[in-house]
Amino acid sequence: MISYVIQNAKYYKDMDDVNSGIQATIDGISCSVPLDPANTHYAEILKQVADGTITIADAD
Amino acid sequence: MALIKLNTRSIPDDAVTPAKVSVKHLGRRNLLINGAMQIWQRGTSFTTSNTYTADRWLTDAAGACTRSTDTPAPFDYSIKLNPSSGNAVLRQAIELSAAGEGGIFQSGQQFTLSFWLKSSAGGEGINVFIASSTTVAGSTTQMVSAIGIATTTTGWVKYTYTFTQSVAVGSSDTCYNIVPYVVAPSGDIYITGLQFETGSVATDFEHRSYVEELASCSRYYQNSFIEGNTPGASTATGDAIHVLSWSDGNAQGIPFQVPMRTSPTMIFRPQASNTAGLVNSSGTDRSATATNVGTKQVGYIGVTSGTANTYVRFTWEANAEI
Protein backbone atom coordinates (compact mmCIF):
# COMPACT_ATOMS: atom_id res chain seq x y z
CA MET A 1 0.00 0.00 0.00
CA ILE A 2 1.34 3.42 -0.91
CA SER A 3 1.60 5.61 2.17
CA TYR A 4 0.95 9.24 1.29
CA VAL A 5 2.02 12.05 3.60
CA ILE A 6 -1.03 14.34 3.69
CA GLN A 7 -0.93 17.76 5.36
CA ASN A 8 -3.01 20.95 5.53
CA ALA A 9 -6.19 19.34 4.21
CA LYS A 10 -9.00 21.85 3.82
CA TYR A 11 -12.32 21.82 1.96
CA TYR A 12 -13.06 24.47 -0.65
CA LYS A 13 -16.41 25.44 -2.12
CA ASP A 14 -17.75 26.16 -5.58
CA MET A 15 -19.78 29.17 -6.72
CA ASP A 16 -22.95 27.55 -5.33
CA ASP A 17 -21.34 27.41 -1.87
CA VAL A 18 -21.12 23.60 -1.97
CA ASN A 19 -17.94 21.71 -1.04
CA SER A 20 -16.18 20.90 -4.33
CA GLY A 21 -12.85 19.47 -3.25
CA ILE A 22 -10.02 19.33 -0.72
CA GLN A 23 -6.86 21.38 -1.05
CA ALA A 24 -4.04 19.43 0.57
CA THR A 25 -0.29 19.03 0.49
CA ILE A 26 0.39 15.45 -0.60
CA ASP A 27 3.99 14.27 -0.41
CA GLY A 28 5.07 17.91 -0.36
CA ILE A 29 3.02 19.09 -3.35
CA SER A 30 -0.11 21.26 -3.10
CA CYS A 31 -3.00 19.47 -4.85
CA SER A 32 -6.72 19.85 -5.50
CA VAL A 33 -8.46 16.56 -4.69
CA PRO A 34 -12.04 16.02 -5.96
CA LEU A 35 -14.63 14.44 -3.65
CA ASP A 36 -14.74 11.26 -5.73
CA PRO A 37 -14.40 7.93 -3.86
CA ALA A 38 -12.71 6.39 -6.91
CA ASN A 39 -9.97 9.02 -6.71
CA THR A 40 -7.02 7.34 -4.98
CA HIS A 41 -5.99 10.44 -3.03
CA TYR A 42 -9.52 11.14 -1.79
CA ALA A 43 -9.84 7.51 -0.67
CA GLU A 44 -6.54 7.84 1.20
CA ILE A 45 -7.64 11.11 2.83
CA LEU A 46 -10.84 9.44 4.06
CA LYS A 47 -8.78 6.51 5.37
CA GLN A 48 -6.38 8.75 7.26
CA VAL A 49 -9.31 10.73 8.71
CA ALA A 50 -10.91 7.46 9.85
CA ASP A 51 -7.59 6.38 11.35
CA GLY A 52 -7.36 9.67 13.22
CA THR A 53 -4.14 10.61 11.44
CA ILE A 54 -5.43 13.83 9.88
CA THR A 55 -8.44 16.13 9.98
CA ILE A 56 -9.97 18.21 7.22
CA ALA A 57 -10.53 21.89 7.95
CA ASP A 58 -13.82 23.49 6.94
CA ALA A 59 -13.94 25.73 3.91
CA ASP A 60 -13.66 29.49 4.38
CA MET B 1 0.38 -23.03 -63.33
CA ALA B 2 -3.34 -22.78 -62.86
CA LEU B 3 -4.61 -20.28 -60.38
CA ILE B 4 -7.26 -21.35 -57.93
CA LYS B 5 -9.62 -18.63 -56.77
CA LEU B 6 -10.45 -19.01 -53.10
CA ASN B 7 -13.36 -17.54 -51.29
CA THR B 8 -14.52 -17.93 -47.72
CA ARG B 9 -16.86 -20.81 -48.48
CA SER B 10 -14.16 -22.87 -50.19
CA ILE B 11 -11.80 -22.87 -47.17
CA PRO B 12 -12.59 -25.87 -44.96
CA ASP B 13 -13.33 -24.93 -41.37
CA ASP B 14 -10.44 -27.03 -40.05
CA ALA B 15 -7.91 -25.74 -42.57
CA VAL B 16 -7.01 -22.55 -40.70
CA THR B 17 -5.34 -23.57 -37.47
CA PRO B 18 -3.53 -21.36 -34.93
CA ALA B 19 -0.23 -22.77 -36.14
CA LYS B 20 -0.91 -21.35 -39.61
CA VAL B 21 -1.74 -17.87 -38.35
CA SER B 22 1.10 -15.47 -37.64
CA VAL B 23 0.25 -14.33 -34.10
CA LYS B 24 2.42 -11.24 -34.42
CA HIS B 25 -0.22 -9.78 -36.71
CA LEU B 26 -3.03 -10.26 -34.23
CA GLY B 27 -3.57 -7.14 -32.14
CA ARG B 28 -4.92 -6.37 -28.69
CA ARG B 29 -3.11 -9.25 -27.01
CA ASN B 30 -1.18 -7.20 -24.47
CA LEU B 31 -3.28 -6.28 -21.43
CA LEU B 32 -0.53 -3.97 -20.15
CA ILE B 33 -0.09 -0.35 -21.25
CA ASN B 34 3.31 1.11 -22.14
CA GLY B 35 5.06 -2.26 -21.91
CA ALA B 36 7.79 -0.99 -24.24
CA MET B 37 8.50 2.03 -22.00
CA GLN B 38 7.72 4.52 -24.78
CA ILE B 39 5.79 7.09 -22.70
CA TRP B 40 7.39 9.15 -19.88
CA GLN B 41 5.07 12.11 -19.23
CA ARG B 42 6.37 12.69 -15.67
CA GLY B 43 10.05 12.91 -16.69
CA THR B 44 12.82 10.41 -17.32
CA SER B 45 14.77 10.40 -14.03
CA PHE B 46 13.45 9.70 -10.51
CA THR B 47 14.83 9.04 -7.04
CA THR B 48 11.91 8.89 -4.60
CA SER B 49 10.06 5.78 -3.47
CA ASN B 50 6.51 4.81 -4.43
CA THR B 51 6.69 6.91 -7.59
CA TYR B 52 5.15 6.65 -11.03
CA THR B 53 8.03 6.71 -13.48
CA ALA B 54 7.42 5.55 -17.04
CA ASP B 55 3.69 6.02 -17.57
CA ARG B 56 1.55 3.44 -15.75
CA TRP B 57 4.60 1.92 -14.00
CA LEU B 58 5.08 2.47 -10.27
CA THR B 59 8.35 1.67 -8.53
CA ASP B 60 8.59 0.85 -4.82
CA ALA B 61 12.03 1.47 -3.44
CA ALA B 62 13.96 4.72 -3.30
CA GLY B 63 16.99 4.95 -5.56
CA ALA B 64 17.81 5.82 -9.12
CA CYS B 65 15.24 5.09 -11.80
CA THR B 66 15.83 6.35 -15.33
CA ARG B 67 14.87 5.83 -18.94
CA SER B 68 17.56 3.86 -20.73
CA THR B 69 18.42 3.13 -24.33
CA ASP B 70 20.09 -0.14 -23.33
CA THR B 71 17.56 -2.53 -24.87
CA PRO B 72 17.14 -5.75 -26.76
CA ALA B 73 16.06 -5.37 -30.40
CA PRO B 74 13.67 -3.96 -31.50
CA PHE B 75 12.86 -1.88 -28.41
CA ASP B 76 13.92 1.78 -28.13
CA TYR B 77 13.72 2.16 -24.35
CA SER B 78 13.95 0.22 -21.13
CA ILE B 79 13.50 1.25 -17.50
CA LYS B 80 16.68 1.18 -15.42
CA LEU B 81 16.24 0.55 -11.69
CA ASN B 82 18.93 0.79 -9.03
CA PRO B 83 17.21 0.81 -5.62
CA SER B 84 19.31 2.00 -2.72
CA SER B 85 17.84 -0.87 -0.68
CA GLY B 86 15.19 -3.53 -1.09
CA ASN B 87 13.80 -5.02 -4.30
CA ALA B 88 13.67 -3.59 -7.82
CA VAL B 89 9.91 -3.57 -8.32
CA LEU B 90 7.62 -2.56 -11.16
CA ARG B 91 3.85 -2.38 -10.63
CA GLN B 92 1.04 -1.84 -13.10
CA ALA B 93 -2.67 -1.91 -12.24
CA ILE B 94 -4.90 -3.19 -15.04
CA GLU B 95 -8.25 -1.43 -14.64
CA LEU B 96 -11.35 -3.60 -14.19
CA SER B 97 -14.61 -2.35 -15.72
CA ALA B 98 -16.16 -1.97 -12.24
CA ALA B 99 -15.56 -3.13 -8.67
CA GLY B 100 -15.66 -6.92 -8.53
CA GLU B 101 -16.19 -7.26 -12.28
CA GLY B 102 -13.41 -9.58 -13.38
CA GLY B 103 -14.14 -9.61 -17.10
CA ILE B 104 -11.53 -11.96 -18.57
CA PHE B 105 -9.91 -12.28 -15.14
CA GLN B 106 -11.92 -15.34 -14.17
CA SER B 107 -11.03 -18.41 -12.18
CA GLY B 108 -9.72 -21.05 -14.61
CA GLN B 109 -8.37 -18.53 -17.11
CA GLN B 110 -4.75 -19.05 -18.12
CA PHE B 111 -2.40 -16.06 -18.46
CA THR B 112 1.19 -15.57 -19.56
CA LEU B 113 3.49 -12.74 -18.47
CA SER B 114 6.62 -12.09 -20.48
CA PHE B 115 9.33 -9.45 -20.31
CA TRP B 116 12.94 -8.76 -21.19
CA LEU B 117 15.35 -8.21 -18.30
CA LYS B 118 19.07 -7.60 -17.86
CA SER B 119 21.15 -7.11 -14.72
CA SER B 120 24.60 -5.71 -14.04
CA ALA B 121 25.09 -8.74 -11.76
CA GLY B 122 23.97 -12.32 -12.18
CA GLY B 123 22.23 -14.78 -9.93
CA GLU B 124 19.60 -12.47 -8.42
CA GLY B 125 16.10 -13.83 -8.01
CA ILE B 126 13.41 -12.74 -10.49
CA ASN B 127 9.98 -12.99 -8.87
CA VAL B 128 6.39 -12.35 -9.88
CA PHE B 129 3.50 -11.18 -7.72
CA ILE B 130 -0.04 -10.89 -9.11
CA ALA B 131 -3.14 -9.83 -7.20
CA SER B 132 -6.44 -8.07 -7.66
CA SER B 133 -7.01 -5.11 -5.39
CA THR B 134 -8.47 -1.65 -4.93
CA THR B 135 -5.13 0.09 -5.58
CA VAL B 136 -1.95 -0.55 -7.52
CA ALA B 137 0.01 -1.51 -4.42
CA GLY B 138 -2.70 -3.50 -2.65
CA SER B 139 -3.37 -7.23 -2.53
CA THR B 140 -6.97 -7.98 -1.61
CA THR B 141 -6.98 -11.25 -3.57
CA GLN B 142 -3.64 -12.88 -4.32
CA MET B 143 -3.36 -14.84 -7.56
CA VAL B 144 0.38 -15.46 -7.59
CA SER B 145 2.42 -14.82 -4.45
CA ALA B 146 6.13 -14.13 -4.83
CA ILE B 147 6.86 -16.93 -7.29
CA GLY B 148 10.50 -17.17 -8.29
CA ILE B 149 10.70 -17.72 -12.04
CA ALA B 150 14.42 -17.38 -12.82
CA THR B 151 17.65 -15.68 -11.82
CA THR B 152 19.24 -12.71 -13.54
CA THR B 153 22.05 -12.76 -16.04
CA THR B 154 24.20 -9.92 -17.38
CA GLY B 155 22.68 -10.15 -20.86
CA TRP B 156 19.19 -9.52 -22.17
CA VAL B 157 16.91 -12.54 -21.67
CA LYS B 158 13.18 -12.90 -22.33
CA TYR B 159 11.48 -14.41 -19.29
CA THR B 160 8.00 -15.94 -19.30
CA TYR B 161 5.63 -17.11 -16.62
CA THR B 162 2.29 -18.89 -17.18
CA PHE B 163 -0.33 -19.49 -14.52
CA THR B 164 -3.99 -20.40 -14.19
CA GLN B 165 -6.10 -18.05 -12.08
CA SER B 166 -7.54 -20.12 -9.24
CA VAL B 167 -9.93 -17.67 -7.59
CA ALA B 168 -12.21 -14.83 -8.63
CA VAL B 169 -11.30 -11.19 -8.11
CA GLY B 170 -12.51 -9.69 -4.84
CA SER B 171 -15.94 -8.07 -4.76
CA SER B 172 -14.48 -4.63 -4.06
CA ASP B 173 -11.43 -4.95 -6.30
CA THR B 174 -11.06 -2.44 -9.12
CA CYS B 175 -7.74 -3.51 -10.61
CA TYR B 176 -5.54 -6.49 -11.42
CA ASN B 177 -1.92 -5.84 -10.42
CA ILE B 178 1.05 -7.21 -12.33
CA VAL B 179 4.27 -6.99 -10.29
CA PRO B 180 7.57 -8.40 -11.59
CA TYR B 181 10.58 -7.72 -9.38
CA VAL B 182 14.20 -8.60 -8.74
CA VAL B 183 15.10 -9.48 -5.17
CA ALA B 184 17.61 -7.09 -3.58
CA PRO B 185 19.76 -6.43 -6.66
CA SER B 186 23.33 -5.30 -6.11
CA GLY B 187 23.40 -3.07 -9.19
CA ASP B 188 21.37 -1.93 -12.19
CA ILE B 189 18.27 -3.75 -13.43
CA TYR B 190 16.90 -3.06 -16.93
CA ILE B 191 13.39 -4.14 -17.98
CA THR B 192 11.32 -3.67 -21.13
CA GLY B 193 8.91 -5.45 -23.45
CA LEU B 194 6.42 -6.39 -20.73
CA GLN B 195 3.39 -8.26 -22.03
CA PHE B 196 0.52 -9.93 -20.16
CA GLU B 197 -1.85 -11.99 -22.28
CA THR B 198 -4.37 -14.79 -22.10
CA GLY B 199 -3.28 -18.35 -22.88
CA SER B 200 -0.16 -20.38 -22.25
CA VAL B 201 2.08 -18.93 -24.96
CA ALA B 202 4.26 -15.84 -24.69
CA THR B 203 3.70 -14.42 -28.15
CA ASP B 204 5.91 -11.82 -29.80
CA PHE B 205 5.58 -8.40 -28.19
CA GLU B 206 2.66 -6.42 -29.55
CA HIS B 207 4.15 -3.13 -30.70
CA ARG B 208 1.77 -0.17 -30.61
CA SER B 209 2.24 3.31 -32.03
CA TYR B 210 3.46 6.13 -29.79
CA VAL B 211 0.20 8.06 -30.17
CA GLU B 212 -1.89 5.02 -29.27
CA GLU B 213 0.11 4.33 -26.11
CA LEU B 214 0.05 8.02 -25.15
CA ALA B 215 -3.74 8.10 -25.39
CA SER B 216 -4.04 4.96 -23.27
CA CYS B 217 -1.66 6.35 -20.63
CA SER B 218 -3.53 9.66 -20.57
CA ARG B 219 -6.65 7.99 -19.19
CA TYR B 220 -4.64 7.77 -15.94
CA TYR B 221 -2.27 10.75 -16.10
CA GLN B 222 -1.90 13.76 -18.38
CA ASN B 223 -0.43 17.26 -18.21
CA SER B 224 0.00 20.52 -20.11
CA PHE B 225 3.77 20.21 -20.53
CA ILE B 226 5.64 20.04 -23.80
CA GLU B 227 6.51 16.39 -24.35
CA GLY B 228 9.96 15.81 -22.87
CA ASN B 229 9.64 18.60 -20.27
CA THR B 230 9.41 17.52 -16.63
CA PRO B 231 6.53 18.80 -14.46
CA GLY B 232 7.87 20.56 -11.38
CA ALA B 233 11.22 21.22 -13.08
CA SER B 234 10.56 22.79 -16.47
CA THR B 235 9.94 26.55 -16.71
CA ALA B 236 9.28 26.69 -20.45
CA THR B 237 6.56 29.19 -21.30
CA GLY B 238 5.10 26.71 -23.77
CA ASP B 239 4.21 24.34 -20.92
CA ALA B 240 1.42 26.65 -19.72
CA ILE B 241 -2.13 27.29 -20.81
CA HIS B 242 -3.59 30.84 -20.83
CA VAL B 243 -7.26 31.26 -20.00
CA LEU B 244 -9.57 34.19 -19.26
CA SER B 245 -10.65 35.28 -15.79
CA TRP B 246 -14.20 36.27 -15.03
CA SER B 247 -15.59 39.34 -13.29
CA ASP B 248 -15.17 37.56 -9.93
CA GLY B 249 -11.49 36.79 -10.57
CA ASN B 250 -11.99 33.05 -11.03
CA ALA B 251 -10.98 31.57 -14.36
CA GLN B 252 -12.42 29.31 -17.01
CA GLY B 253 -11.67 25.60 -16.73
CA ILE B 254 -9.78 23.25 -19.01
CA PRO B 255 -10.88 20.20 -21.02
CA PHE B 256 -8.83 17.02 -20.73
CA GLN B 257 -7.06 15.59 -23.77
CA VAL B 258 -8.81 12.22 -23.33
CA PRO B 259 -11.44 11.23 -20.73
CA MET B 260 -9.88 10.13 -17.46
CA ARG B 261 -10.58 7.03 -15.36
CA THR B 262 -12.11 9.08 -12.57
CA SER B 263 -12.12 12.71 -11.46
CA PRO B 264 -8.38 13.40 -11.18
CA THR B 265 -6.25 15.07 -8.53
CA MET B 266 -5.01 18.35 -10.01
CA ILE B 267 -1.74 20.22 -9.57
CA PHE B 268 -1.44 23.81 -10.77
CA ARG B 269 1.72 25.89 -11.02
CA PRO B 270 2.15 29.45 -12.38
CA GLN B 271 3.67 29.77 -15.83
CA ALA B 272 7.49 29.46 -15.62
CA SER B 273 7.33 28.55 -11.91
CA ASN B 274 7.59 25.30 -9.99
CA THR B 275 5.53 26.32 -6.95
CA ALA B 276 2.45 24.08 -6.75
CA GLY B 277 -0.99 25.32 -5.72
CA LEU B 278 -0.74 28.67 -7.53
CA VAL B 279 -1.63 30.23 -10.87
CA ASN B 280 -0.48 33.51 -12.37
CA SER B 281 -3.34 36.02 -12.46
CA SER B 282 -2.44 39.09 -14.48
CA GLY B 283 1.20 38.94 -13.38
CA THR B 284 0.69 37.95 -9.74
CA ASP B 285 0.83 34.38 -8.39
CA ARG B 286 -2.38 33.49 -6.54
CA SER B 287 -3.68 30.41 -4.70
CA ALA B 288 -5.82 28.25 -6.96
CA THR B 289 -8.16 25.27 -6.70
CA ALA B 290 -9.58 22.95 -9.35
CA THR B 291 -13.33 23.33 -8.90
CA ASN B 292 -16.11 21.01 -10.08
CA VAL B 293 -13.69 18.49 -11.58
CA GLY B 294 -15.07 15.66 -13.73
CA THR B 295 -13.55 12.98 -15.91
CA LYS B 296 -13.58 15.20 -19.01
CA GLN B 297 -12.78 18.66 -17.66
CA VAL B 298 -12.01 20.97 -14.79
CA GLY B 299 -15.17 23.06 -14.43
CA TYR B 300 -13.35 26.23 -13.49
CA ILE B 301 -10.30 27.48 -11.59
CA GLY B 302 -11.00 29.07 -8.22
CA VAL B 303 -8.45 31.91 -7.85
CA THR B 304 -8.05 33.60 -4.47
CA SER B 305 -8.15 37.40 -4.95
CA GLY B 306 -7.76 36.91 -8.70
CA THR B 307 -7.80 39.90 -11.04
CA ALA B 308 -11.03 40.25 -13.00
CA ASN B 309 -11.36 40.09 -16.77
CA THR B 310 -7.76 39.38 -17.67
CA TYR B 311 -5.46 36.43 -18.30
CA VAL B 312 -4.62 33.51 -16.00
CA ARG B 313 -1.71 31.31 -16.98
CA PHE B 314 -0.57 28.09 -15.43
CA THR B 315 0.66 24.55 -16.02
CA TRP B 316 -1.38 21.57 -14.87
CA GLU B 317 -1.12 17.88 -14.06
CA ALA B 318 -4.10 15.52 -13.74
CA ASN B 319 -3.68 12.21 -11.90
CA ALA B 320 -6.33 9.47 -11.96
CA GLU B 321 -4.11 6.47 -11.35
CA ILE B 322 -5.63 3.49 -9.55
Side-chain angles (χ1 to χ4, degrees):
Chain A
M1 192 77 177
I2 300 175
S3 180
Y4 296 105
V5 177
I6 298 173
Q7 301 168 303
N8 307 319
K10 182 177 183 178
Y11 286 107
Y12 57 88
K13 293 184 175 181
D14 64 13
M15 62 180 70
D16 296 321
D17 207 31
V18 175
N19 281 340
S20 177
I22 297 169
Q23 192 71 13
T25 302
I26 302 177
D27 292 341
I29 298 177
S30 180
C31 305
S32 294
V33 180
L35 307 180
D36 180 345
N39 178 289
T40 305
H41 296 118
Y42 182 59
E44 178 65 16
I45 288 172
L46 293 183
K47 177 181 179 298
Q48 294 197 18
V49 169
D51 291 344
T53 308
I54 63 170
T55 58
I56 308 171
D58 291 335
D60 292 329
Chain B
M1 180 177 173
L3 293 175
I4 300 173
K5 185 177 180 181
L6 292 176
N7 58 40
T8 302
R9 283 183 303 173
S10 63
I11 302 174
D13 289 345
D14 60 356
V16 181
T17 63
K20 295 176 182 174
V21 177
S22 176
V23 175
K24 69 173 66 174
H25 297 126
L26 299 178
R28 299 298 174 267
R29 287 170 285 119
N30 195 354
L31 300 170
L32 296 171
I33 297 171
N34 200 25
M37 305 297 171
Q38 294 182 88
I39 313 297
W40 297 71
Q41 292 189 88
R42 296 171 176 88
T44 56
S45 179
F46 308 86
T47 55
T48 56
S49 59
N50 295 321
T51 301
Y52 277 96
T53 54
D55 272 59
R56 304 271 30 244
W57 292 106
L58 183 88
T59 60
D60 279 21
C65 171
T66 56
R67 186 176 69 180
S68 172
T69 54
D70 187 336
T71 63
F75 298 100
D76 292 327
Y77 298 111
S78 65
I79 188 168
K80 176 183 171 183
L81 303 169
N82 190 337
S84 50
S85 64
N87 302 328
V89 183
L90 281 182
R91 298 178 182 272
Q92 183 167 139
I94 299 172
E95 180 184 359
L96 302 181
S97 60
E101 298 294 336
I104 63 169
F105 300 104
Q106 299 291 329
S107 180
Q109 175 66 55
Q110 203 169 38
F111 295 97
T112 296
L113 173 67
S114 59
F115 54 90
W116 289 84
L117 188 146
K118 169 185 171 179
S119 169
S120 59
E124 301 152 333
I126 303 172
N127 285 16
V128 171
F129 175 84
I130 298 171
S132 62
S133 186
T134 55
T135 66
V136 65
S139 58
T140 305
T141 307
Q142 291 191 10
M143 309 297 174
V144 174
S145 181
I147 293 287
I149 64 171
T151 55
T152 61
T153 70
T154 55
W156 281 106
V157 175
K158 183 178 181 179
Y159 298 95
T160 67
Y161 175 68
T162 297
F163 73 101
T164 300
Q165 185 174 324
S166 59
V167 293
V169 303
S171 59
S172 62
D173 291 344
T174 56
C175 59
Y176 200 88
N177 297 328
I178 309 301
V179 188
Y181 63 98
V182 175
V183 180
S186 59
D188 297 332
I189 299 294
Y190 302 81
I191 307 175
T192 194
L194 294 109
Q195 181 154 291
F196 188 68
E197 58 195 311
T198 59
S200 61
V201 177
T203 63
D204 288 351
F205 185 80
E206 178 195 346
H207 291 276
R208 300 181 190 134
S209 70
Y210 181 90
V211 67
E212 188 177 6
E213 287 285 38
L214 178 60
S216 296
C217 293
S218 295
R219 176 171 171 77
Y220 306 93
Y221 174 87
Q222 55 188 275
N223 64 43
S224 66
F225 288 77
I226 296 169
E227 289 186 62
N229 288 356
T230 301
S234 173
T235 55
T237 55
D239 294 332
I241 186 172
H242 299 221
V243 300
L244 294 172
S245 62
W246 302 333
S247 58
D248 62 2
N250 293 322
Q252 66 185 74
I254 50 173
F256 296 131
Q257 297 145 6
V258 301
M260 304 202 71
R261 178 187 69 85
T262 192
S263 303
T265 298
M266 298 296 303
I267 300 172
F268 294 129
R269 298 180 180 90
Q271 183 187 45
S273 168
N274 290 313
T275 304
L278 308 175
V279 296
N280 184 278
S281 172
S282 190
T284 303
D285 292 348
R286 304 285 191 186
S287 296
T289 54
T291 309
N292 295 349
V293 178
T295 58
K296 295 184 180 179
Q297 70 279 315
V298 173
Y300 70 96
I301 317 296
V303 184
T304 302
S305 303
T307 305
N309 304 315
T310 182
Y311 66 85
V312 173
R313 51 192 183 183
F314 56 91
T315 63
W316 59 267
E317 294 180 76
N319 182 345
E321 293 284 1
I322 304 172

